[in-house]
Amino acid sequence: MSSEQIDLLRERALRDLEEASSLEALAEWHARYLGRRGEITLRLRGLGSLPAEERPRVGRALNELKETLEAAYEERERVVRQLELAARMQAEAVDVTLPGRRPAIGTLHPVTQMIREVTDIFAHLGFQVVEGPEVEYGYYAFDALNIPPEHPARDVWDTIFIESDRKEIVLRPHTSPMQIRVMERRKPPIRVVVPGRCYRYEAVDATHEWHFHQIEGLAVDEHITMADLKGTLAEFARQLFGRERRVRFRCDFFPFVEPGVDFAIDCMFCRGEGCRVCGGSGWIEILGAGMVHPQVLRNVGYDPGRYTGWAFGMGVERLVMLKYGVPDIRYFYQGDLRFLAQFDRIPV
Ligand code: YSA
């Protein structure tokens, strides 16, 4: 092999190396010239077939060429790596000056919002908010509330029992047991509201769920009268549904009150004219209430000759349905964000 041939080989190899602009191309180049079956390697291996006097010269020249190419290869590899890194950094660049994307945050459930709204109103009227157990003794859910076993009024509260054969422990069907728990623990004056979940063995339809929420209210003191009940509920209804609301009290029966009433507001959809929502009556019932029955006061050790009180209980889902025109109670517990996201007044 003449020195010209070796020079030409060097030129070609270096030119090819210059053109290799990716790590992949570099690897190909290395295999072609310096790999086990590369041109330089094969030529070095073929030295033995040259005439003996040529071997030292050609051998030296080829070894020098090999070293030159290896050095050039390393340098080129360094450059290509840098170029690739620069290209990647360009492609994956993050513009830190761009405003961030706001993560979607949830909203409070409409029932939670309504509980807060109602308890806020009562807090401003001097009521304290308390909570109690959802798994309850039959004694608190019924007996102490003047509903003895076998009393037909128990049918109103279609109860879910924890053990089907024993009826002592129930999922509370209303929040009224908390009246007893609060009175047992405290002495008058008492002014509390009790929000909480309730459960009933109930066929589910547009206005009934087997699981729903109530808010109970209880005020007990000396000289508490029906007039206090009427004034408090009228003020509450006007704060929640609008100052122009008219209110109506009618007789109703609950074993734990005497007298008992149902409380209604004039229908805000037809302004009392009569429509589909109010069933044509012009009035919408929103809660049951009454003067605490003397026997209930006796059951907690209060003297009904000295203390009087009133109580009420309302359904929270029904309040939301009325206030926002929700046609079916089942929407509340289907987890459908298209429904829930409409109640986005208070972000979490
Ligand atoms: C009455 C007098 C008092 O001095 C104190 C409280 C009460 C209320 C009584 N404890 C009670 O539970 N009455 S109720 O059976 O008529 O229910 C009250 C409200 O709970 C209803 O007006 C309704 O709004 C809601 N409710 C009852 N069952 C429901 C329901 N909401 C949804 N699904 C159900 N299955």
PDB file of all heavy atoms in Angstrom, residues 156-157 173-174 176 179 200 202 207-210 212 214 216 254 256-257 286-290 311-315 317-318 329, ligand 1:
ATOM      1  N   VAL A 156     -94.051   5.975  60.046  1.00  0.00           N
ATOM      2  CA  VAL A 156     -93.635   7.157  59.273  1.00  0.00           C
ATOM      3  C   VAL A 156     -92.137   7.084  59.004  1.00  0.00           C
ATOM      4  O   VAL A 156     -91.664   7.465  57.944  1.00  0.00           O
ATOM      5  CB  VAL A 156     -93.964   8.454  60.057  1.00  0.00           C
ATOM      6  CG1 VAL A 156     -93.444   9.688  59.322  1.00  0.00           C
ATOM      7  CG2 VAL A 156     -95.463   8.540  60.312  1.00  0.00           C
ATOM      8  N   TRP A 157     -91.413   6.598  60.007  1.00  0.00           N
ATOM      9  CA  TRP A 157     -89.961   6.526  59.859  1.00  0.00           C
ATOM     10  C   TRP A 157     -89.580   5.095  59.499  1.00  0.00           C
ATOM     11  O   TRP A 157     -89.281   4.286  60.387  1.00  0.00           O
ATOM     12  CB  TRP A 157     -89.303   6.980  61.162  1.00  0.00           C
ATOM     13  CG  TRP A 157     -89.543   8.440  61.405  1.00  0.00           C
ATOM     14  CD1 TRP A 157     -88.847   9.476  60.874  1.00  0.00           C
ATOM     15  CD2 TRP A 157     -90.577   9.014  62.222  1.00  0.00           C
ATOM     16  NE1 TRP A 157     -89.373  10.672  61.300  1.00  0.00           N
ATOM     17  CE2 TRP A 157     -90.437  10.426  62.130  1.00  0.00           C
ATOM     18  CE3 TRP A 157     -91.612   8.505  63.005  1.00  0.00           C
ATOM     19  CZ2 TRP A 157     -91.281  11.307  62.790  1.00  0.00           C
ATOM     20  CZ3 TRP A 157     -92.446   9.383  63.664  1.00  0.00           C
ATOM     21  CH2 TRP A 157     -92.286  10.770  63.554  1.00  0.00           C
ATOM     22  N   PRO A 173     -83.400   7.565  61.442  1.00  0.00           N
ATOM     23  CA  PRO A 173     -84.288   7.958  60.345  1.00  0.00           C
ATOM     24  C   PRO A 173     -84.600   9.453  60.352  1.00  0.00           C
ATOM     25  O   PRO A 173     -85.238   9.956  59.432  1.00  0.00           O
ATOM     26  CB  PRO A 173     -85.561   7.151  60.627  1.00  0.00           C
ATOM     27  CG  PRO A 173     -85.563   6.980  62.107  1.00  0.00           C
ATOM     28  CD  PRO A 173     -84.132   6.971  62.572  1.00  0.00           C
ATOM     29  N   HIS A 174     -84.184  10.144  61.397  1.00  0.00           N
ATOM     30  CA  HIS A 174     -84.322  11.603  61.464  1.00  0.00           C
ATOM     31  C   HIS A 174     -83.283  12.144  62.449  1.00  0.00           C
ATOM     32  O   HIS A 174     -82.610  11.357  63.137  1.00  0.00           O
ATOM     33  CB  HIS A 174     -85.754  12.034  61.849  1.00  0.00           C
ATOM     34  CG  HIS A 174     -86.298  11.432  63.117  1.00  0.00           C
ATOM     35  ND1 HIS A 174     -87.476  11.818  63.687  1.00  0.00           N
ATOM     36  CD2 HIS A 174     -85.812  10.454  63.936  1.00  0.00           C
ATOM     37  CE1 HIS A 174     -87.706  11.121  64.790  1.00  0.00           C
ATOM     38  NE2 HIS A 174     -86.712  10.286  64.959  1.00  0.00           N
ATOM     39  N   SER A 176     -84.030  14.038  64.979  1.00  0.00           N
ATOM     40  CA  SER A 176     -84.681  14.352  66.260  1.00  0.00           C
ATOM     41  C   SER A 176     -84.056  13.669  67.486  1.00  0.00           C
ATOM     42  O   SER A 176     -84.129  14.227  68.587  1.00  0.00           O
ATOM     43  CB  SER A 176     -86.176  14.034  66.177  1.00  0.00           C
ATOM     44  OG  SER A 176     -86.774  14.820  65.169  1.00  0.00           O
ATOM     45  N   GLN A 179     -82.276  15.859  69.839  1.00  0.00           N
ATOM     46  CA  GLN A 179     -82.984  16.686  70.841  1.00  0.00           C
ATOM     47  C   GLN A 179     -82.748  16.081  72.220  1.00  0.00           C
ATOM     48  O   GLN A 179     -82.422  16.776  73.181  1.00  0.00           O
ATOM     49  CB  GLN A 179     -84.493  16.668  70.571  1.00  0.00           C
ATOM     50  CG  GLN A 179     -84.945  17.418  69.338  1.00  0.00           C
ATOM     51  CD  GLN A 179     -86.467  17.477  69.280  1.00  0.00           C
ATOM     52  OE1 GLN A 179     -87.147  17.485  70.304  1.00  0.00           O
ATOM     53  NE2 GLN A 179     -87.014  17.535  68.069  1.00  0.00           N
ATOM     54  N   ARG A 200     -83.595   5.950  55.580  1.00  0.00           N
ATOM     55  CA  ARG A 200     -84.912   5.316  55.718  1.00  0.00           C
ATOM     56  C   ARG A 200     -85.047   4.180  54.712  1.00  0.00           C
ATOM     57  O   ARG A 200     -84.522   4.275  53.588  1.00  0.00           O
ATOM     58  CB  ARG A 200     -86.034   6.337  55.486  1.00  0.00           C
ATOM     59  CG  ARG A 200     -86.125   7.330  56.619  1.00  0.00           C
ATOM     60  CD  ARG A 200     -87.355   8.198  56.555  1.00  0.00           C
ATOM     61  NE  ARG A 200     -87.187   9.317  57.499  1.00  0.00           N
ATOM     62  CZ  ARG A 200     -88.057  10.277  57.684  1.00  0.00           C
ATOM     63  NH1 ARG A 200     -89.179  10.282  57.006  1.00  0.00           N
ATOM     64  NH2 ARG A 200     -87.807  11.242  58.551  1.00  0.00           N
ATOM     65  N   GLU A 202     -86.777   3.110  52.222  1.00  0.00           N
ATOM     66  CA  GLU A 202     -87.750   3.870  51.454  1.00  0.00           C
ATOM     67  C   GLU A 202     -87.568   3.572  49.966  1.00  0.00           C
ATOM     68  O   GLU A 202     -86.440   3.445  49.502  1.00  0.00           O
ATOM     69  CB  GLU A 202     -87.462   5.360  51.715  1.00  0.00           C
ATOM     70  CG  GLU A 202     -88.426   6.310  51.116  1.00  0.00           C
ATOM     71  CD  GLU A 202     -89.069   7.181  52.196  1.00  0.00           C
ATOM     72  OE1 GLU A 202     -88.345   7.830  52.956  1.00  0.00           O
ATOM     73  OE2 GLU A 202     -90.302   7.197  52.242  1.00  0.00           O
ATOM     74  N   THR A 207     -88.611  12.498  44.802  1.00  0.00           N
ATOM     75  CA  THR A 207     -88.521  13.319  46.009  1.00  0.00           C
ATOM     76  C   THR A 207     -88.077  12.525  47.246  1.00  0.00           C
ATOM     77  O   THR A 207     -87.986  13.092  48.331  1.00  0.00           O
ATOM     78  CB  THR A 207     -89.887  13.985  46.318  1.00  0.00           C
ATOM     79  OG1 THR A 207     -90.898  12.972  46.292  1.00  0.00           O
ATOM     80  CG2 THR A 207     -90.224  15.071  45.314  1.00  0.00           C
ATOM     81  N   HIS A 208     -87.813  11.242  47.090  1.00  0.00           N
ATOM     82  CA  HIS A 208     -87.388  10.423  48.227  1.00  0.00           C
ATOM     83  C   HIS A 208     -86.101   9.675  47.918  1.00  0.00           C
ATOM     84  O   HIS A 208     -86.003   9.012  46.892  1.00  0.00           O
ATOM     85  CB  HIS A 208     -88.451   9.381  48.592  1.00  0.00           C
ATOM     86  CG  HIS A 208     -89.720   9.987  49.079  1.00  0.00           C
ATOM     87  ND1 HIS A 208     -90.694  10.432  48.236  1.00  0.00           N
ATOM     88  CD2 HIS A 208     -90.153  10.245  50.343  1.00  0.00           C
ATOM     89  CE1 HIS A 208     -91.703  10.937  48.941  1.00  0.00           C
ATOM     90  NE2 HIS A 208     -91.393  10.834  50.230  1.00  0.00           N
ATOM     91  N   GLU A 209     -85.153   9.792  48.827  1.00  0.00           N
ATOM     92  CA  GLU A 209     -83.932   8.983  48.771  1.00  0.00           C
ATOM     93  C   GLU A 209     -83.922   8.105  50.005  1.00  0.00           C
ATOM     94  O   GLU A 209     -84.544   8.444  51.018  1.00  0.00           O
ATOM     95  CB  GLU A 209     -82.695   9.895  48.802  1.00  0.00           C
ATOM     96  CG  GLU A 209     -82.106  10.195  47.421  1.00  0.00           C
ATOM     97  CD  GLU A 209     -81.388   9.014  46.802  1.00  0.00           C
ATOM     98  OE1 GLU A 209     -81.277   7.948  47.436  1.00  0.00           O
ATOM     99  OE2 GLU A 209     -80.947   9.154  45.644  1.00  0.00           O
ATOM    100  N   TRP A 210     -83.183   6.993  49.957  1.00  0.00           N
ATOM    101  CA  TRP A 210     -83.081   6.161  51.170  1.00  0.00           C
ATOM    102  C   TRP A 210     -82.073   6.774  52.138  1.00  0.00           C
ATOM    103  O   TRP A 210     -82.036   6.469  53.307  1.00  0.00           O
ATOM    104  CB  TRP A 210     -82.705   4.733  50.820  1.00  0.00           C
ATOM    105  CG  TRP A 210     -81.315   4.611  50.274  1.00  0.00           C
ATOM    106  CD1 TRP A 210     -80.927   4.739  48.976  1.00  0.00           C
ATOM    107  CD2 TRP A 210     -80.123   4.379  51.032  1.00  0.00           C
ATOM    108  NE1 TRP A 210     -79.573   4.611  48.864  1.00  0.00           N
ATOM    109  CE2 TRP A 210     -79.050   4.378  50.121  1.00  0.00           C
ATOM    110  CE3 TRP A 210     -79.853   4.164  52.388  1.00  0.00           C
ATOM    111  CZ2 TRP A 210     -77.733   4.185  50.513  1.00  0.00           C
ATOM    112  CZ3 TRP A 210     -78.536   3.968  52.771  1.00  0.00           C
ATOM    113  CH2 TRP A 210     -77.493   3.974  51.841  1.00  0.00           C
ATOM    114  N   PHE A 212     -80.539  10.712  53.087  1.00  0.00           N
ATOM    115  CA  PHE A 212     -80.715  12.145  52.839  1.00  0.00           C
ATOM    116  C   PHE A 212     -80.243  12.919  54.071  1.00  0.00           C
ATOM    117  O   PHE A 212     -79.681  12.314  54.992  1.00  0.00           O
ATOM    118  CB  PHE A 212     -82.192  12.444  52.520  1.00  0.00           C
ATOM    119  CG  PHE A 212     -83.132  12.014  53.613  1.00  0.00           C
ATOM    120  CD1 PHE A 212     -83.603  12.914  54.562  1.00  0.00           C
ATOM    121  CD2 PHE A 212     -83.533  10.684  53.715  1.00  0.00           C
ATOM    122  CE1 PHE A 212     -84.453  12.509  55.581  1.00  0.00           C
ATOM    123  CE2 PHE A 212     -84.377  10.271  54.738  1.00  0.00           C
ATOM    124  CZ  PHE A 212     -84.837  11.181  55.677  1.00  0.00           C
ATOM    125  N   GLN A 214     -81.035  16.000  57.120  1.00  0.00           N
ATOM    126  CA  GLN A 214     -81.983  16.884  57.802  1.00  0.00           C
ATOM    127  C   GLN A 214     -81.203  17.895  58.640  1.00  0.00           C
ATOM    128  O   GLN A 214     -80.038  17.677  58.966  1.00  0.00           O
ATOM    129  CB  GLN A 214     -82.892  16.090  58.752  1.00  0.00           C
ATOM    130  CG  GLN A 214     -83.980  15.294  58.054  1.00  0.00           C
ATOM    131  CD  GLN A 214     -84.961  14.664  59.037  1.00  0.00           C
ATOM    132  OE1 GLN A 214     -84.705  14.588  60.239  1.00  0.00           O
ATOM    133  NE2 GLN A 214     -86.090  14.208  58.519  1.00  0.00           N
ATOM    134  N   GLU A 216     -82.047  19.695  62.277  1.00  0.00           N
ATOM    135  CA  GLU A 216     -82.953  19.771  63.418  1.00  0.00           C
ATOM    136  C   GLU A 216     -82.711  21.089  64.143  1.00  0.00           C
ATOM    137  O   GLU A 216     -81.573  21.579  64.167  1.00  0.00           O
ATOM    138  CB  GLU A 216     -82.609  18.604  64.368  1.00  0.00           C
ATOM    139  CG  GLU A 216     -83.601  18.356  65.452  1.00  0.00           C
ATOM    140  CD  GLU A 216     -84.760  17.495  64.933  1.00  0.00           C
ATOM    141  OE1 GLU A 216     -84.697  17.012  63.794  1.00  0.00           O
ATOM    142  OE2 GLU A 216     -85.718  17.318  65.708  1.00  0.00           O
ATOM    143  N   PHE A 254     -96.858  15.238  65.207  1.00  0.00           N
ATOM    144  CA  PHE A 254     -95.652  14.460  65.488  1.00  0.00           C
ATOM    145  C   PHE A 254     -95.738  14.095  66.962  1.00  0.00           C
ATOM    146  O   PHE A 254     -96.068  14.964  67.779  1.00  0.00           O
ATOM    147  CB  PHE A 254     -94.381  15.288  65.240  1.00  0.00           C
ATOM    148  CG  PHE A 254     -94.247  15.780  63.833  1.00  0.00           C
ATOM    149  CD1 PHE A 254     -94.668  17.067  63.494  1.00  0.00           C
ATOM    150  CD2 PHE A 254     -93.711  14.965  62.846  1.00  0.00           C
ATOM    151  CE1 PHE A 254     -94.552  17.519  62.193  1.00  0.00           C
ATOM    152  CE2 PHE A 254     -93.594  15.429  61.541  1.00  0.00           C
ATOM    153  CZ  PHE A 254     -94.015  16.706  61.211  1.00  0.00           C
ATOM    154  N   PHE A 256     -93.747  13.857  69.267  1.00  0.00           N
ATOM    155  CA  PHE A 256     -92.861  14.539  70.225  1.00  0.00           C
ATOM    156  C   PHE A 256     -93.144  16.022  70.360  1.00  0.00           C
ATOM    157  O   PHE A 256     -92.363  16.765  70.964  1.00  0.00           O
ATOM    158  CB  PHE A 256     -91.390  14.294  69.862  1.00  0.00           C
ATOM    159  CG  PHE A 256     -91.129  14.183  68.381  1.00  0.00           C
ATOM    160  CD1 PHE A 256     -90.765  15.297  67.636  1.00  0.00           C
ATOM    161  CD2 PHE A 256     -91.257  12.952  67.735  1.00  0.00           C
ATOM    162  CE1 PHE A 256     -90.519  15.182  66.284  1.00  0.00           C
ATOM    163  CE2 PHE A 256     -91.016  12.837  66.371  1.00  0.00           C
ATOM    164  CZ  PHE A 256     -90.659  13.946  65.640  1.00  0.00           C
ATOM    165  N   VAL A 257     -94.230  16.505  69.731  1.00  0.00           N
ATOM    166  CA  VAL A 257     -94.603  17.924  69.900  1.00  0.00           C
ATOM    167  C   VAL A 257     -96.094  18.043  70.210  1.00  0.00           C
ATOM    168  O   VAL A 257     -96.893  17.186  69.835  1.00  0.00           O
ATOM    169  CB  VAL A 257     -94.272  18.760  68.637  1.00  0.00           C
ATOM    170  CG1 VAL A 257     -92.791  19.026  68.539  1.00  0.00           C
ATOM    171  CG2 VAL A 257     -94.808  18.109  67.392  1.00  0.00           C
ATOM    172  N   ILE A 286     -91.916  23.272  53.962  1.00  0.00           N
ATOM    173  CA  ILE A 286     -90.461  23.053  54.064  1.00  0.00           C
ATOM    174  C   ILE A 286     -90.024  22.373  55.357  1.00  0.00           C
ATOM    175  O   ILE A 286     -88.904  21.880  55.425  1.00  0.00           O
ATOM    176  CB  ILE A 286     -89.628  24.333  53.808  1.00  0.00           C
ATOM    177  CG1 ILE A 286     -89.991  25.454  54.757  1.00  0.00           C
ATOM    178  CG2 ILE A 286     -89.732  24.785  52.374  1.00  0.00           C
ATOM    179  CD1 ILE A 286     -89.018  26.632  54.617  1.00  0.00           C
ATOM    180  N   LEU A 287     -90.869  22.312  56.366  1.00  0.00           N
ATOM    181  CA  LEU A 287     -90.436  21.582  57.566  1.00  0.00           C
ATOM    182  C   LEU A 287     -91.599  21.267  58.493  1.00  0.00           C
ATOM    183  O   LEU A 287     -92.688  21.822  58.371  1.00  0.00           O
ATOM    184  CB  LEU A 287     -89.351  22.368  58.316  1.00  0.00           C
ATOM    185  CG  LEU A 287     -89.627  23.815  58.743  1.00  0.00           C
ATOM    186  CD1 LEU A 287     -90.377  23.861  60.072  1.00  0.00           C
ATOM    187  CD2 LEU A 287     -88.307  24.560  58.886  1.00  0.00           C
ATOM    188  N   GLY A 288     -91.302  20.336  59.432  1.00  0.00           N
ATOM    189  CA  GLY A 288     -92.243  20.013  60.498  1.00  0.00           C
ATOM    190  C   GLY A 288     -91.712  20.618  61.791  1.00  0.00           C
ATOM    191  O   GLY A 288     -90.498  20.708  61.984  1.00  0.00           O
ATOM    192  N   ALA A 289     -92.613  21.037  62.683  1.00  0.00           N
ATOM    193  CA  ALA A 289     -92.162  21.705  63.909  1.00  0.00           C
ATOM    194  C   ALA A 289     -93.244  21.610  64.988  1.00  0.00           C
ATOM    195  O   ALA A 289     -94.300  21.009  64.771  1.00  0.00           O
ATOM    196  CB  ALA A 289     -91.830  23.169  63.617  1.00  0.00           C
ATOM    197  N   GLY A 290     -92.959  22.194  66.135  1.00  0.00           N
ATOM    198  CA  GLY A 290     -93.978  22.221  67.196  1.00  0.00           C
ATOM    199  C   GLY A 290     -93.370  22.531  68.544  1.00  0.00           C
ATOM    200  O   GLY A 290     -92.152  22.694  68.674  1.00  0.00           O
ATOM    201  N   ALA A 311     -89.224  22.804  68.602  1.00  0.00           N
ATOM    202  CA  ALA A 311     -88.241  22.106  67.762  1.00  0.00           C
ATOM    203  C   ALA A 311     -88.758  22.083  66.333  1.00  0.00           C
ATOM    204  O   ALA A 311     -89.952  22.289  66.088  1.00  0.00           O
ATOM    205  CB  ALA A 311     -88.037  20.681  68.263  1.00  0.00           C
ATOM    206  N   PHE A 312     -87.827  21.868  65.417  1.00  0.00           N
ATOM    207  CA  PHE A 312     -88.231  21.708  64.017  1.00  0.00           C
ATOM    208  C   PHE A 312     -87.259  20.751  63.331  1.00  0.00           C
ATOM    209  O   PHE A 312     -86.151  20.507  63.830  1.00  0.00           O
ATOM    210  CB  PHE A 312     -88.266  23.054  63.278  1.00  0.00           C
ATOM    211  CG  PHE A 312     -86.929  23.750  63.209  1.00  0.00           C
ATOM    212  CD1 PHE A 312     -85.967  23.380  62.277  1.00  0.00           C
ATOM    213  CD2 PHE A 312     -86.628  24.785  64.096  1.00  0.00           C
ATOM    214  CE1 PHE A 312     -84.742  24.018  62.220  1.00  0.00           C
ATOM    215  CE2 PHE A 312     -85.393  25.425  64.043  1.00  0.00           C
ATOM    216  CZ  PHE A 312     -84.450  25.047  63.112  1.00  0.00           C
ATOM    217  N   GLY A 313     -87.678  20.212  62.190  1.00  0.00           N
ATOM    218  CA  GLY A 313     -86.796  19.355  61.405  1.00  0.00           C
ATOM    219  C   GLY A 313     -87.088  19.573  59.929  1.00  0.00           C
ATOM    220  O   GLY A 313     -88.254  19.578  59.525  1.00  0.00           O
ATOM    221  N   MET A 314     -86.022  19.799  59.150  1.00  0.00           N
ATOM    222  CA  MET A 314     -86.243  20.038  57.710  1.00  0.00           C
ATOM    223  C   MET A 314     -85.330  19.155  56.868  1.00  0.00           C
ATOM    224  O   MET A 314     -84.252  18.760  57.304  1.00  0.00           O
ATOM    225  CB  MET A 314     -86.013  21.509  57.379  1.00  0.00           C
ATOM    226  CG  MET A 314     -84.622  22.014  57.676  1.00  0.00           C
ATOM    227  SD  MET A 314     -84.526  23.759  57.314  1.00  0.00           S
ATOM    228  CE  MET A 314     -84.144  24.447  58.917  1.00  0.00           C
ATOM    229  N   GLY A 315     -85.769  18.876  55.637  1.00  0.00           N
ATOM    230  CA  GLY A 315     -84.965  18.070  54.710  1.00  0.00           C
ATOM    231  C   GLY A 315     -84.093  18.985  53.864  1.00  0.00           C
ATOM    232  O   GLY A 315     -84.590  19.902  53.214  1.00  0.00           O
ATOM    233  N   GLU A 317     -81.989  18.262  51.165  1.00  0.00           N
ATOM    234  CA  GLU A 317     -82.071  18.100  49.701  1.00  0.00           C
ATOM    235  C   GLU A 317     -83.292  18.842  49.160  1.00  0.00           C
ATOM    236  O   GLU A 317     -83.223  19.493  48.117  1.00  0.00           O
ATOM    237  CB  GLU A 317     -82.168  16.616  49.333  1.00  0.00           C
ATOM    238  CG  GLU A 317     -80.863  15.841  49.454  1.00  0.00           C
ATOM    239  CD  GLU A 317     -80.548  15.439  50.890  1.00  0.00           C
ATOM    240  OE1 GLU A 317     -81.327  15.813  51.794  1.00  0.00           O
ATOM    241  OE2 GLU A 317     -79.517  14.778  51.106  1.00  0.00           O
ATOM    242  N   ARG A 318     -84.405  18.749  49.893  1.00  0.00           N
ATOM    243  CA  ARG A 318     -85.633  19.415  49.416  1.00  0.00           C
ATOM    244  C   ARG A 318     -85.442  20.938  49.373  1.00  0.00           C
ATOM    245  O   ARG A 318     -85.983  21.603  48.494  1.00  0.00           O
ATOM    246  CB  ARG A 318     -86.801  19.070  50.332  1.00  0.00           C
ATOM    247  CG  ARG A 318     -87.097  17.585  50.400  1.00  0.00           C
ATOM    248  CD  ARG A 318     -88.312  17.191  49.573  1.00  0.00           C
ATOM    249  NE  ARG A 318     -88.531  15.757  49.684  1.00  0.00           N
ATOM    250  CZ  ARG A 318     -89.408  15.199  50.509  1.00  0.00           C
ATOM    251  NH1 ARG A 318     -90.173  15.961  51.276  1.00  0.00           N
ATOM    252  NH2 ARG A 318     -89.547  13.890  50.547  1.00  0.00           N
ATOM    253  N   ILE A 329     -84.495  14.378  43.182  1.00  0.00           N
ATOM    254  CA  ILE A 329     -83.533  14.256  44.302  1.00  0.00           C
ATOM    255  C   ILE A 329     -82.386  13.308  43.950  1.00  0.00           C
ATOM    256  O   ILE A 329     -81.296  13.395  44.506  1.00  0.00           O
ATOM    257  CB  ILE A 329     -84.276  13.773  45.575  1.00  0.00           C
ATOM    258  CG1 ILE A 329     -83.425  14.032  46.832  1.00  0.00           C
ATOM    259  CG2 ILE A 329     -84.655  12.301  45.481  1.00  0.00           C
ATOM    260  CD1 ILE A 329     -84.161  13.800  48.132  1.00  0.00           C
TER     261      ILE A 329
HETATM  262  C1  YSA B   1     -90.936  17.529  63.384  1.00  0.00           C
HETATM  263  C2  YSA B   1     -91.225  18.205  64.594  1.00  0.00           C
HETATM  264  C3  YSA B   1     -90.182  18.528  65.417  1.00  0.00           C
HETATM  265  O1  YSA B   1     -90.460  19.162  66.595  1.00  0.00           O
HETATM  266  C4  YSA B   1     -88.869  18.241  65.081  1.00  0.00           C
HETATM  267  C5  YSA B   1     -88.589  17.558  63.902  1.00  0.00           C
HETATM  268  C6  YSA B   1     -89.616  17.214  63.073  1.00  0.00           C
HETATM  269  C7  YSA B   1     -89.332  16.461  61.818  1.00  0.00           C
HETATM  270  C8  YSA B   1     -89.419  14.960  62.011  1.00  0.00           C
HETATM  271  N1  YSA B   1     -88.335  14.453  62.822  1.00  0.00           N
HETATM  272  C9  YSA B   1     -89.377  14.274  60.673  1.00  0.00           C
HETATM  273  O2  YSA B   1     -88.461  13.515  60.378  1.00  0.00           O
HETATM  274  N2  YSA B   1     -90.378  14.573  59.881  1.00  0.00           N
HETATM  275  S1  YSA B   1     -90.527  14.026  58.376  1.00  0.00           S
HETATM  276  O3  YSA B   1     -90.564  12.591  58.371  1.00  0.00           O
HETATM  277  O4  YSA B   1     -91.665  14.665  57.769  1.00  0.00           O
HETATM  278  O5  YSA B   1     -89.207  14.491  57.632  1.00  0.00           O
HETATM  279  C10 YSA B   1     -88.836  15.859  57.665  1.00  0.00           C
HETATM  280  C11 YSA B   1     -88.291  16.258  56.308  1.00  0.00           C
HETATM  281  O6  YSA B   1     -87.227  15.383  55.952  1.00  0.00           O
HETATM  282  C12 YSA B   1     -89.296  16.116  55.191  1.00  0.00           C
HETATM  283  O7  YSA B   1     -90.104  17.256  55.107  1.00  0.00           O
HETATM  284  C13 YSA B   1     -88.408  15.987  53.991  1.00  0.00           C
HETATM  285  O8  YSA B   1     -87.960  17.266  53.570  1.00  0.00           O
HETATM  286  C14 YSA B   1     -87.220  15.237  54.546  1.00  0.00           C
HETATM  287  N3  YSA B   1     -87.340  13.826  54.190  1.00  0.00           N
HETATM  288  C15 YSA B   1     -88.022  12.860  54.837  1.00  0.00           C
HETATM  289  N4  YSA B   1     -87.887  11.687  54.204  1.00  0.00           N
HETATM  290  C16 YSA B   1     -87.092  11.909  53.122  1.00  0.00           C
HETATM  291  C17 YSA B   1     -86.746  13.271  53.116  1.00  0.00           C
HETATM  292  N5  YSA B   1     -85.955  13.801  52.169  1.00  0.00           N
HETATM  293  C18 YSA B   1     -85.513  12.976  51.215  1.00  0.00           C
HETATM  294  N6  YSA B   1     -85.781  11.664  51.145  1.00  0.00           N
HETATM  295  C19 YSA B   1     -86.570  11.088  52.077  1.00  0.00           C
HETATM  296  N7  YSA B   1     -86.817   9.797  52.024  1.00  0.00           N
END
